[in-house]
Amino acid sequence: MGTIKNSSNFTVYHATGTIFLDSIKKNGLKNYNLDRQYKLIEALKKLYDCIPDEQKERPDFDAKVRRSNPTIRLLIKQDNPLYMNGPLFATTSLKKAKEFALSRKKGSELLTTVFHLYNFCNNNGWFGKNEIGEKFKSQFNELINLLDIKSNPIILCFETNLSSIVSEEGTNSEEYFAWLQELDEDDLENIGESLRITQPSVIPSSALQYYEYIEDTWRGPFSLCESQGESDTK
């Protein structure tokens, strides 16, 4: 089994959801700033501010909102490269991608966090038919409609190469690439290195395959150009 150094391409995996599948089929996979269209960060901040401080400090808060307090704050601040909205991230491990996809009920880390906080606020009566809640629903009507769409976890897989990536943090040091070049396919799967895809600007749907989580089972890979019944692997 050869290393990346001796092979032109290697496979990476991007976790998302069927909520975005039609768009990816039509437009390909690319950097997409959801915040620009749906104002996710502003919505997340408003939701987080609705939650009483004493609730945020409760030991069971993370479990109830399915996200940790530090993660929510990092998503709001957008000053940590690992939590930035916009870059196209992928991992070298199918197993790790499956874990990511299952944890993102709405296909995106940021959108899923908004979804959980929105439900948490509603369920606790902090965000019901009061002035704050009505203003939020009016301001973020398009976002709320998006949250109502059912989504299954999916994993997109495609080929890339060393000239098309940087590290998860956005760096491209010689030391990093020297280390990466010595890895083989088993290493890539076992380590589960997270990367940023920098080029091409759009990965066409013809270059993508995907796995979908249906009825508690991962199925695929499927081509984006074929139906699920035509997949070779179940």
Side-chain angles (χ1 to χ4, degrees):
M1 182 179 297
T3 64
I4 292 179
K5 185 177 182 179
N6 299 318
S7 175
S8 57
N9 293 330
F10 58 97
T11 303
V12 292
Y13 307 91
H14 175 73
T16 183
T18 53
I19 192 170
F20 302 118
L21 193 55
D22 286 344
S23 175
I24 294 168
K25 286 180 180 179
K26 180 180 178 180
N27 303 309
L29 180 64
K30 56 186 177 181
N31 291 351
Y32 182 66
N33 193 325
L34 279 173
D35 180 58
R36 188 173 295 130
Q37 179 174 356
Y38 296 104
K39 298 181 288 188
L40 296 181
I41 296 169
E42 183 181 353
L44 183 61
K45 185 177 187 306
K46 286 182 180 292
L47 291 168
Y48 190 68
D49 289 345
C50 279
I51 301 172
D53 289 341
E54 61 270 18
Q55 288 290 329
K56 297 172 188 174
E57 303 306 320
R58 287 175 57 94
D60 58 351
F61 175 78
D62 292 2
K64 286 182 176 179
V65 299
R66 305 184 189 183
R67 291 294 183 273
S68 70
N69 238 322
T71 296
I72 295 170
R73 293 184 183 122
L74 286 168
L75 287 169
I76 291 171
K77 292 177 69 177
Q78 288 289 294
D79 61 354
N80 184 313
L82 301 183
Y83 292 88
M84 290 179 66
N85 176 57
L88 177 58
F89 293 101
T91 174
T92 61
S93 166
L94 177 58
K95 179 181 178 181
K96 189 172 181 180
K98 288 177 179 179
E99 294 171 357
F100 286 154
L102 289 172
S103 71
R104 298 169 184 172
K105 189 176 180 66
K106 295 300 177 181
S108 146
E109 173 77 6
L110 182 56
L111 184 62
T112 299
T113 304
V114 171
F115 173 75
H116 287 314
L117 256 68
Y118 180 74
N119 287 336
F120 183 66
C121 290
N122 266 330
N123 293 340
N124 282 277
W126 302 318
F127 203 62
K129 295 181 179 180
N130 54 40
E131 185 178 355
I132 296 175
E134 292 304 316
K135 284 184 177 180
F136 184 92
K137 292 173 184 176
S138 175
Q139 182 179 359
F140 300 100
N141 180 65
E142 188 178 7
L143 169 58
I144 292 172
N145 290 337
L146 183 67
L147 295 177
D148 286 338
I149 298 174
K150 185 181 183 299
S151 182
N152 287 341
I154 62 170
I155 296 162
L156 299 168
C157 49
F158 55 95
E159 297 290 301
T160 191
N161 54 61
L162 291 176
S163 64
S164 301
I165 64 168
V166 294
S167 72
E168 185 179 24
E169 295 84 1
T171 61
N172 58 353
S173 69
E174 291 183 5
E175 293 82 2
Y176 178 74
F177 282 108
W179 168 75
L180 202 57
Q181 285 178 354
E182 297 305 318
L183 304 180
D184 61 26
E185 290 181 6
D186 285 343
D187 294 329
L188 293 174
E189 175 62 33
N190 293 332
I191 293 172
E193 181 67 8
S194 292
L195 311 163
R196 290 192 194 192
I197 308 299
T198 57
Q199 57 179 356
S201 57
V202 179
I203 300 167
S205 58
S206 59
L208 296 167
Q209 290 187 309
Y210 74 101
Y211 297 84
E212 182 173 355
Y213 194 69
I214 305 171
E215 297 178 348
D216 300 326
T217 302
W218 282 104
R219 302 184 184 184
F222 309 112
S223 164
L224 287 187
C225 301
E226 68 186 12
S227 67
Q228 292 174 357
E230 295 171 317
S231 171
D232 295 329
T233 307
K234 299 297 183 186

